[in-house]
Amino acid sequence: MADTSDDLVRLLANLHPLERAVLPHLRKETTLDGLVRASSLKEVEVMRALQWLANRRAVSLAADISETVSLDSEGRRVAKEGLPERKLLLLLAKKPIPMEDLVRREELAKDERDIALGILKGKAAATIEKGEISLTDQGRRLVDKDSLEEQFLKSLAKGERKIAELSPEERYSLDALRKRKRLVRVVIRKRRVVSLTPLGRQLSLLSVEKRGSPPPPAERLTPQMLASGVWKRKVFRQFDVAINVPKRYPARRHFVNLAIDYAKRVWLDMGFEEMTGPIVQTSFWNFDALFTAQDHPVREMQDTFFVGEPEFGTLPEKEVVDAVRRSHETGTEGSAGWQYAWDPKEAKRNVLRTHTTVLSALTLAKGTVKVPGKYFALGRNYRNETMDWSHLFEFNQTEGIVIDPDANFRHLLGYLKQFFMKMGFPDARFRPGYFSYTEPSVEIDVLHPAKKIWIELGGAGIFRPEVVEPLLGKDIPVLAWGPGFDRTIMEYYGIQDIRDLYLNDLKQLREMRYWMR
Amino acid sequence: MPTVTLNKDVFEKLVGKRLPLERLKDRISMLGTDLERIGGNEIVVEVFPNRPDMLSEQGFARAFAAFIGAKEGLKQYLVEKPKKDYRVTVTKEVARIRPYTACAIVVGLSFDDERIKEVIQIQEKLHVTFGRNRKKAAIGIYPLEGIALPITYTAKAPDSFRFRPLEYPSELSGRQILSKHPKGRDYARLLEGAERYPLFIDARGSILSMPPIINSHLTGKISERTREVFIECSGHDLPTLQQCLNMIVCALADMGGEIHAMRVAYPDRTVVTPDLAPRAMALDCGYINRRLGLSLSEKEMVALLARMGHGHEKGRVLIPAYRADILHQVDLAEDVAIAYGYENFEPEIPNVSTIGAEDPSAVFRRKVGEILVGLGLMETSTYNITDKASQTARMRADIPLVPLKNALTADYDTLRAWVLPSVLGVLESNRQYEYPQNLFCIGEVFSSAPAGSKAETGVREQTRVAVALCGRDADYTAVRQVFQALFDALATGYTIRPAEHPSFIEGRVGRVSVGDGKGQRDVAYIGELHPEAITNFGLEMPVAGFELNLSELFSVISGAEDPEN
């Protein structure tokens, strides 16, 4: 609150040019429209100025809400041509018309006839006798006189009316007309009303008196001022530094990718090398190489996406194929295998990879694989299921293998615990699990730090010898894991519906919390 | 995952011990099963597919009782020698259809409603899981009182026999059963094309069943009067069937039954089933300790194995006959680990030095994303699976696609061949927001691999980036500026020549190539999108964009061969 006139002068000096432009008009004008006209500013500029002035408690803003009625599309037409019942009234005034003739009269459109007749009958202005329509006495009295509705329509033709100001007859007409299609339109209008506060009145007086006297403070620091040194003589308008400004949105990486990048860095920091590879794989790599029997239910239609064309691929070099075949049919050293006739054709079937574990199998079979070696992958996998809030046909997995002659089950738990700690889950719990390609197998749960509930994230284990030996040529421990990653992402961002990960809604992309790990 | 439903009273009686609820839940999940729900007198548990022997109340209780230490060690099951007529003759006619069967008789049973339900549950769960929907193993259980022993397992032409199938009002021929009986329709594919259908027939010539489809209504239904049952498992692999039979007879023995063997006479040999002698496997303590990171003595290990129902004799583990999942020493290792308790393992990170390395093409991909964000473009992330129309007709383009064989919906039934339509799809779903909307997406694209490709699948998979600028000022100049800035940042030159592409405005589309001479590769299209393509996606703003092949570009820049080519 400015108490002294010095304060007032300082306040005046720091007004924004828009505020300065609006202020003098505020004593005469009290509406937004009026101010726009008087100041020759744009509506949005006046609004901003008023908002700022309101922040300074120089004006108070109120909204004047009023319901108005005006002619709608059909109403504009009938205001000129007359209502359908008027047309029929005029026709009947000449002579009675047989019902069947009415249909042929061009004066009335098809949909108007029934309305017109209905209304005239309702007012006891017309009767139908022996198939002929004629006017009653009451009807004849109406011929030369506008009905209440017609009078009201005519008044609206001159301009919209406030409903609060209508007479009882006009209200009655309005109610009647509103029941008919597109004749009148009722709009709720919100009008801004501005009034000066005592402070504002003082300011506005000052702004008029002081016009022309001291020059207003400088708005912007310009290159010219800097070059010429004029800035030294300038006073700069002081800003309301606490004021709200229009929002800006940075362009950003997709939030899922930010999470993936972080998880990748965690593996890299732990000394893991990245594995990448195709999404389309043969069943050989996706299933057979991972000791998944060919009659295993996962290989059936309802779980896995199969490729339509080309439906089949080719198998890798004979040595690997034979080794995998043996592991299925009769087992590797010390194992009995699945004991069935392995079918190479089934292995050639192309699928969309069902897990990134396929990349681990491919890595083991590569001649260049390092022992000891640590590898990871983070990528999308596919399962053939109907989408809902918790299921998506594309899902991310964080995959890892450790190939190390000395690796053991405790190391597996150690790597997993470390990774999830870095992902923000300090407590991990391990339960027995089952996967056809690992033994022992583990299910991983992590404790949600805030909700204190256990979240199931997926599986891990030590690859079975029937997996490792055919691919690597010898049986050494390979720790392997492939927990799903989407749940971790969703928990971080507070997403409830898994489909929201790939919604690509601009508002969501702009406003999503940033990945801060 | 298959589930088994337990009656809490029956379960507790079988286990011989009552646990507090929390303890019960914890022990169930640490045994390697998953408690689905407990309600009233009913416990529903998920069982992993490697333990079909736990898919009955008796089997589950047996494993659980051992695990919590109530009844440890190998449980012995006695099998009485086959009596004179306890015989099943297998004729040569079934050899080509469903060649094997393993059979048994169990006597001294008593049935009530609950029991009958238990038996049906065992049969159904084993059918679905271990039996692979009856393909691998189908199970028949019959009241013995209506059967005249011995029994014949044979096969006859589909129209040459008739009987009344279970729960059906009248007699049907074999062929009619497959089309008229609900079970017949469900499993008809298992006999598809067969010239003869398998049959179990008793000594009086009555048909007992037509495996793997249905029992006879007259002789194939267990009731409260039943005291003795005949059990058969039929299929294609005798050891599998024997395992299946073992799981059933052990459960029936746990119900108080007495197991009798049968002679199954094949044309060339006779097999006596069931054989419930435990299987012996050498115990390699060193291997198991190394794998688990433990240092258990043999005595400790044997004690832990007893908690999983195993016996021990002279350095060898005695594996119960109902366990079908012990293939290798590692399977014993897992049983040791479960008995030891997963919660008791001390996680450890070993001191193994390896150097981390990000895949170079993944680095490249990430850098391109960073540069485009620096240019003010928002990154989107879209599915690799899409619909055909968006990829082709809506883009006015005719591009060969890699379709999926078994998609559930036409909205997602093909792999994408380019990414730009995905980005237009994003624009389409964001029409309510202000413009400009400048977006990009990096994703995989799929096409038929060119001749001579090394891709085993015959599908070529590459990474591409699509950029779309959408707004009043989105024109060729604007998108070319983005393109130029990207290539400047990548320190790579390129050439653009006029091109034709139906998705772009004629005369406002260029083909971009990089490299020179023999190494020259076309890597991008850039231009203003065709108004028809724009309106096909419901947009009312100009769109300018490009689609750039990052795999090709990376192989040119790095000098590396694209591994997919």
Side-chain angles (χ1 to χ4, degrees):
Chain A
M1 199 67 180
D3 293 318
T4 66
S5 67
D6 273 1
D7 288 339
L8 270 180
V9 173
R10 193 177 317 120
L11 188 53
L12 189 63
N14 285 321
L15 291 183
H16 187 275
L18 289 176
E19 291 173 277
R20 210 185 298 281
V22 168
L23 198 53
H25 304 291
L26 276 170
R27 277 170 307 144
K28 289 196 209 89
E29 303 291 342
T30 57
T31 64
L32 188 59
D33 292 350
L35 285 167
V36 169
R37 264 195 309 277
S39 65
S40 318
L41 294 172
K42 289 178 192 153
E43 186 177 309
V44 43
E45 291 173 324
V46 174
M47 259 326 288
R48 283 167 72 190
L50 289 176
Q51 200 64 58
W52 294 333
L53 286 168
N55 289 350
R56 298 181 199 278
R57 298 176 199 284
V59 299
S60 58
L61 295 176
D64 174 15
I65 295 167
S66 67
E67 273 187 303
T68 63
V69 53
S70 58
L71 291 179
D72 204 344
S73 55
E74 193 66 10
R76 280 193 293 276
R77 195 173 64 80
V78 302
K80 276 187 233 131
E81 297 176 10
L83 286 165
E85 61 266 32
R86 167 66 50 186
K87 292 184 191 171
L88 184 58
L89 196 67
L90 293 176
L91 276 176
L92 292 174
K94 289 177 198 155
K95 60 170 186 196
I97 302 170
M99 272 298 276
E100 59 264 35
D101 280 9
L102 184 63
V103 194
R104 287 195 286 273
R105 301 299 291 233
E106 286 169 2
E107 289 90 339
L108 279 167
K110 186 165 162 268
D111 54 336
E112 287 180 332
R113 276 174 225 135
D114 297 340
I115 300 173
L117 193 56
I119 288 174
L120 290 187
K121 275 168 73 187
K123 290 183 174 184
T127 56
I128 305 171
E129 269 173 48
K130 293 174 187 160
E132 194 176 72
I133 318 164
S134 60
L135 284 187
T136 61
D137 291 347
Q138 167 76 2
R140 271 185 284 280
R141 274 196 290 279
L142 291 176
V143 173
D144 300 321
K145 203 174 83 184
D146 278 348
S147 67
L148 287 175
E149 288 97 320
E150 285 167 316
Q151 288 171 27
F152 183 55
L153 281 174
K154 279 182 181 163
S155 88
L156 286 181
K158 290 177 200 136
E160 65 175 32
R161 304 273 310 275
K162 283 190 184 163
I163 290 177
E165 293 165 5
L166 298 181
S167 69
E169 292 80 10
E170 287 171 324
R171 286 222 168 210
Y172 161 81
S173 305
L174 173 61
D175 290 342
L177 291 172
R178 277 179 92 166
K179 288 182 192 132
R180 298 171 66 174
K181 273 184 193 159
R182 288 189 299 279
L183 285 178
V184 293
R185 183 167 48 181
V186 172
V187 179
I188 298 167
R189 259 285 142 83
K190 216 169 118 182
R191 242 170 38 137
R192 295 258 175 207
V193 182
V194 196
S195 58
L196 284 168
T197 62
L199 170 68
R201 206 159 290 121
Q202 283 176 294
L203 271 179
S204 117
L205 283 170
L206 266 178
S207 73
V208 179
E209 281 168 24
K210 297 259 172 159
R211 193 178 287 172
S213 37
E219 210 32 56
R220 283 178 173 278
L221 176 61
T222 64
Q224 289 80 2
M225 289 178 194
L226 289 164
S228 63
V230 172
W231 64 268
K232 289 173 193 159
R233 295 193 301 277
K234 290 278 184 189
V235 174
F236 292 93
R237 185 172 68 82
Q238 294 179 11
F239 289 163
D240 176 359
V241 291
I243 203 163
N244 287 331
V245 296
K247 264 192 164 44
R248 274 192 67 176
Y249 297 102
R252 8 199 281 192
R253 300 293 311 282
H254 192 275
F255 61 92
V256 169
N257 291 345
L258 289 176
I260 288 175
D261 282 352
Y262 172 75
K264 280 175 64 168
R265 217 182 60 231
V266 171
W267 292 125
L268 293 168
D269 289 351
M270 286 165 73
F272 284 70
E273 212 173 302
E274 187 174 12
M275 311 181 275
T276 56
I279 284 166
V280 178
Q281 298 279 355
T282 58
S283 293
F284 180 82
W285 290 111
N286 194 73
F287 296 125
D288 295 289
L290 290 164
F291 199 51
T292 304
Q294 293 190 323
D295 68 349
H296 193 283
V298 74
R299 302 179 70 149
E300 282 171 21
M301 286 288 179
Q302 59 266 35
D303 288 315
T304 302
F305 275 119
F306 292 90
V307 175
E309 174 63 41
E311 197 176 342
F312 296 96
T314 54
L315 296 179
E317 56 272 30
K318 193 170 175 305
E319 210 184 331
V320 182
V321 177
D322 287 347
V324 167
R325 176 205 293 268
R326 265 197 310 279
S327 80
H328 280 243
E329 290 187 341
T330 55
T332 52
E333 179 70 37
S335 160
W338 293 125
Q339 299 285 331
Y340 70 102
W342 185 82
D343 179 4
K345 183 163 183 213
E346 195 51 45
K348 288 179 190 167
R349 209 177 274 285
N350 281 333
V351 299
L352 300 196
R353 72 183 182 210
T354 59
H355 45 193
T356 34
T357 317
V358 63
L359 301 179
S360 295
L362 283 159
T363 300
L364 288 179
K366 256 184 214 154
T368 52
V369 64
K370 293 168 190 151
V371 181
K374 302 196 292 220
Y375 297 88
F376 81 97
L378 226 155
R380 282 197 203 176
N381 303 293
Y382 295 80
R383 60 186 158 210
N384 193 5
E385 59 186 0
T386 314
M387 273 207 275
D388 64 29
W389 68 276
S390 65
H391 295 92
L392 212 53
F393 50 79
E394 300 197 8
F395 65 99
N396 287 291
Q397 233 184 331
T398 171
E399 176 80 18
I401 50 173
V402 174
I403 311 154
D404 174 5
D406 299 321
N408 65 46
F409 190 61
R410 292 201 293 125
H411 300 163
L412 174 72
L413 307 187
Y415 285 116
L416 289 167
K417 200 168 164 49
Q418 182 63 43
F419 174 75
F420 285 110
M421 198 140 70
K422 294 237 184 192
M423 294 311 299
F425 299 110
D427 290 314
R429 168 174 88 172
F430 303 103
R431 287 178 292 121
Y434 172 74
F435 306 98
S436 54
Y437 41 91
T438 53
E439 192 83 3
S441 305
V442 182
E443 290 283 342
I444 307 149
D445 303 337
V446 293
L447 188 66
H448 192 289
K451 297 182 199 158
K452 301 287 174 210
I453 48 164
W454 290 100
I455 306 172
E456 291 181 29
L457 288 182
I462 305 179
F463 273 150
R464 296 189 66 96
E466 294 93 332
V467 173
V468 178
E469 208 185 293
L471 302 179
L472 198 62
K474 55 192 161 188
D475 174 26
I476 62 171
V478 177
L479 313 179
W481 52 85
F485 192 55
D486 295 322
R487 188 70 197 269
T488 307
I489 300 176
M490 289 166 71
E491 289 299 339
Y492 184 86
Y493 291 113
I495 291 175
Q496 312 288 336
D497 185 329
I498 193 168
R499 291 168 294 194
D500 288 354
L501 291 177
Y502 305 107
L503 191 63
N504 289 305
D505 176 84
L506 277 181
K507 186 170 151 62
Q508 179 218 38
L509 292 179
R510 284 168 177 162
E511 294 177 359
M512 184 62 80
R513 163 186 186 197
Y514 215 75
W515 185 272
M516 291 304 286
R517 287 203 179 96
Chain B
M1 205 97 65
T3 59
V4 58
T5 304
L6 313 170
N7 177 309
K8 202 155 171 259
D9 296 336
V10 174
F11 176 70
E12 277 169 355
K13 210 169 141 205
L14 286 165
V15 173
K17 200 167 173 178
R18 246 183 119 128
L19 294 183
L21 189 62
E22 279 312 305
R23 180 80 182 147
L24 179 69
K25 285 181 181 172
D26 173 69
R27 288 298 88 192
I28 286 177
S29 82
M30 294 316 281
L31 172 58
T33 49
D34 218 352
L35 182 69
E36 201 165 271
R37 61 173 189 273
I38 293 189
N41 204 30
E42 205 178 76
I43 309 175
V44 181
V45 183
E46 258 185 4
V47 173
F48 290 126
N50 61 327
R51 291 297 301 273
D53 59 292
M54 287 165 76
L55 282 173
S56 64
E57 283 180 301
Q58 291 68 28
F60 192 89
R62 191 191 306 132
F64 191 79
F67 181 61
I68 63 167
K71 295 174 183 173
E72 294 179 31
L74 185 69
K75 189 162 183 182
Q76 301 282 359
Y77 290 94
L78 291 176
V79 182
E80 299 293 328
K81 290 212 175 85
K83 291 187 185 164
K84 184 168 165 278
D85 284 340
Y86 285 14
R87 197 172 72 236
V88 176
T89 305
V90 181
T91 71
K92 61 182 191 319
E93 283 83 9
V94 285
R96 284 220 306 253
I97 310 149
R98 207 168 171 85
Y100 295 104
T101 181
C103 308
I105 284 171
V106 177
V107 304
L109 292 163
S110 63
F111 285 96
D112 56 13
D113 262 4
E114 181 64 36
R115 268 288 153 73
I116 293 173
K117 258 191 259 167
E118 286 169 26
V119 172
I120 292 171
Q121 169 167 267
I122 300 174
Q123 196 177 353
E124 279 177 358
K125 299 289 174 181
L126 284 175
H127 268 158
V128 173
T129 56
F130 191 76
R132 298 277 196 266
N133 275 321
R134 306 192 185 188
K135 189 177 170 199
K136 207 169 160 181
I139 304 154
I141 302 178
Y142 317 73
L144 193 63
E145 57 260 26
I147 296 175
L149 295 169
I151 293 166
T152 306
Y153 180 44
T154 185
K156 289 187 174 178
D159 299 309
S160 69
F161 63 90
R162 298 174 71 80
F163 68 98
R164 184 178 164 200
L166 205 56
E167 311 296 349
Y168 201 79
S170 58
E171 284 196 350
L172 295 173
S173 75
R175 196 182 300 283
Q176 286 169 327
I177 287 174
L178 294 197
S179 59
K180 291 194 170 154
H181 195 279
K183 292 285 175 211
R185 287 195 293 268
D186 286 354
Y187 297 99
R189 66 195 149 75
L190 296 176
L191 292 181
E192 204 175 284
E195 285 169 17
R196 293 162 195 262
Y197 293 173
L199 293 171
F200 280 94
I201 300 176
D202 80 354
R204 280 192 296 260
S206 312
I207 293 175
L208 306 179
S209 71
M210 182 174 102
I213 314 291
I214 190 82
N215 281 9
S216 152
H217 190 80
L218 303 178
T219 53
K221 202 180 171 189
I222 290 173
S223 72
E224 290 177 10
R225 292 188 307 276
T226 305
R227 295 287 172 272
E228 306 180 341
V229 293
F230 161 64
I231 305 147
E232 49 81 10
C233 303
S234 68
H236 302 272
D237 175 53
L238 189 54
T240 303
L241 300 173
Q242 286 173 305
Q243 279 166 348
C244 186
L245 182 67
N246 290 352
M247 290 185 244
I248 298 165
V249 296
C250 287
L252 290 174
D254 287 348
M255 291 180 191
E258 186 184 293
I259 306 165
H260 288 259
M262 294 187 86
R263 275 182 234 284
V264 183
Y266 290 91
D268 56 343
R269 62 176 166 148
T270 295
V271 184
V272 177
T273 60
D275 176 5
L276 294 182
R279 199 154 47 94
M281 188 186 266
L283 177 64
D284 187 342
C285 293
Y287 182 89
I288 292 174
N289 272 327
R290 276 197 306 283
R291 197 156 176 103
L292 299 181
L294 298 177
S295 43
L296 300 169
S297 67
E298 181 171 347
K299 202 175 153 207
E300 288 169 317
M301 216 173 268
V302 167
L304 290 173
L305 285 166
R307 290 282 184 104
M308 299 302 284
H310 297 289
H312 183 259
E313 193 184 76
K314 294 176 197 153
R316 300 195 311 167
V317 182
L318 300 179
I319 301 159
Y322 54 80
R323 285 289 295 268
D325 62 314
I326 307 290
L327 305 178
H328 187 275
Q329 199 68 215
V330 289
D331 299 300
L332 292 179
E334 183 175 75
D335 274 12
V336 169
I338 291 172
Y340 183 80
Y342 276 30
E343 69 276 27
N344 298 321
F345 281 86
E346 191 80 38
E348 180 196 12
I349 293 207
N351 195 0
V352 180
S353 172
T354 53
I355 310 295
E358 196 174 357
D359 180 79
S361 67
V363 176
F364 184 69
R365 179 185 172 130
R366 186 158 52 79
K367 292 296 166 191
V368 168
E370 284 170 13
I371 295 164
L372 292 173
V373 166
L375 288 164
L377 277 66
M378 183 70 94
E379 185 177 35
T380 64
S381 186
T382 55
Y383 301 121
N384 288 319
I385 302 180
T386 180
D387 65 297
K388 291 191 179 78
S390 293
Q391 288 281 302
T392 55
R394 296 177 88 197
M395 295 300 288
R396 308 176 79 242
D398 185 17
I399 293 174
L401 298 170
V402 175
L404 296 175
K405 192 180 171 178
N406 56 332
L408 295 174
T409 133
D411 292 341
Y412 302 101
D413 68 350
T414 188
L415 292 166
R416 67 178 162 200
W418 57 326
V419 185
L420 200 49
S422 305
V423 182
L424 286 179
V426 174
L427 287 171
E428 183 178 22
S429 62
N430 281 292
R431 285 172 296 180
Q432 72 272 37
Y433 299 121
E434 69 276 33
Y435 290 91
Q437 295 177 5
N438 300 328
L439 311 175
F440 75 100
C441 179
I442 299 175
E444 274 61 50
V445 299
F446 304 80
S447 59
S448 252
S453 155
K454 284 184 213 143
E456 282 172 18
T457 55
V459 174
R460 176 158 71 173
E461 205 168 311
Q462 293 185 308
T463 303
R464 291 200 194 165
V465 59
V467 163
L469 310 181
C470 181
R472 280 176 202 292
D473 303 323
D475 60 9
Y476 186 79
T477 305
V479 75
R480 180 70 193 281
Q481 284 176 312
V482 171
F483 195 84
Q484 180 70 43
L486 174 62
F487 274 70
D488 286 348
L490 297 173
T492 304
Y494 62 91
T495 54
I496 300 193
R497 57 180 192 275
E500 279 176 28
H501 193 296
S503 304
F504 295 88
I505 296 176
E506 202 181 336
R508 296 191 182 183
V509 51
R511 191 86 171 106
V512 182
S513 54
V514 295
D516 40 32
K518 268 190 109 178
Q520 191 181 14
R521 310 260 184 94
D522 287 337
V523 292
Y525 277 104
I526 179 170
E528 291 182 13
L529 270 290
H530 195 282
E532 202 176 292
I534 293 173
T535 50
N536 283 345
F537 282 85
L539 299 170
E540 291 174 352
M541 279 285 171
V543 182
F546 64 78
E547 167 119 354
L548 169 63
N549 189 326
L550 294 181
S551 300
E552 298 273 10
L553 181 61
F554 178 68
S555 71
V556 171
I557 290 177
S558 66
E561 257 315 301
D562 181 353
E564 286 299 299
N565 274 320

